[in-house]
Amino acid sequence: MRYIQVMGDTLPDAYHEALVNLSLLGEIAECPDYNTRIIECGMEMIVENPLKEPMISKCGIYTPKDLQQYVLEIKDGILDFMIGKGKNAWEYTYHERIADQIPFVVEELQRNMWSRRAVIDVRNTAVDTSNEHPACLQHIQFMVRYKDGEPKLDMVVMMRSNDAVQATFMNAFGFILGIQKVVADKLGFEVGNYVHRVVS
């Protein structure tokens, strides 16, 4: 499988670069599982200044309201009530999988700023192996590293699968504001690099 790596100063810069690189791959394959055509590759998207404006891409298919709601879903669990309730019940939310692990991350990085153990596991094998819609986000790693002479919180996410057009931008936006900034604020550090790794 092919693999691309892109970098940008802001989230839209990196996302636009990713779309351009993806389009240059050119080979479109039939995807019978989803009855659609795809360009498949692995990708690493690095955002050097995740909170720098502009944060919203004009290429995105989401409104600012959609993006704000997604941040609140991840950060505050405003849709956790959908889990296991009714005909259209959800199996999980990212908030439900992540929230109780954030105190460990904060404590670990307070204990040792150079730790490489501040990891959140999102995959729940007991549920995701039989779930029709298993979590795309698999794990998140946090590291405090110096940038411009100041300690900043870097965050690396690993996605098993991510739709570049319909999901990547919204996911990255939500993860930066709903997770990375939350942990950085708890630690008293500024937000550092955001790295979005996608296997497929």
Side-chain angles (χ1 to χ4, degrees), residues 103-121:
F104 160 74
V105 167
V106 172
E107 289 168 15
E108 178 61 21
L109 292 173
Q110 286 172 334
R111 181 190 69 80
N112 176 7
M113 188 174 79
W114 297 100
S115 177
R116 295 177 297 276
R117 299 176 183 180
V119 176
I120 288 176
D121 289 313

Side-chain angles (χ1 to χ4, degrees), residues 105-162:
V105 167
V106 172
E107 289 168 15
E108 178 61 21
L109 292 173
Q110 286 172 334
R111 181 190 69 80
N112 176 7
M113 188 174 79
W114 297 100
S115 177
R116 295 177 297 276
R117 299 176 183 180
V119 176
I120 288 176
D121 289 313
V122 180
R123 183 175 181 84
N124 180 341
T125 305
V127 175
D128 290 343
T129 52
S130 59
N131 187 352
E132 185 179 347
H133 302 287
C136 291
L137 176 61
Q138 298 294 289
H139 73 256
I140 309 165
Q141 185 164 1
F142 303 83
M143 295 189 299
V144 178
R145 295 297 182 262
Y146 277 81
K147 181 178 178 183
D148 304 323
E150 297 292 327
K152 298 191 177 181
L153 182 72
D154 290 350
M155 186 172 84
V156 180
V157 304
M158 198 281 279
M159 311 286 287
R160 64 169 182 82
S161 178
N162 209 209

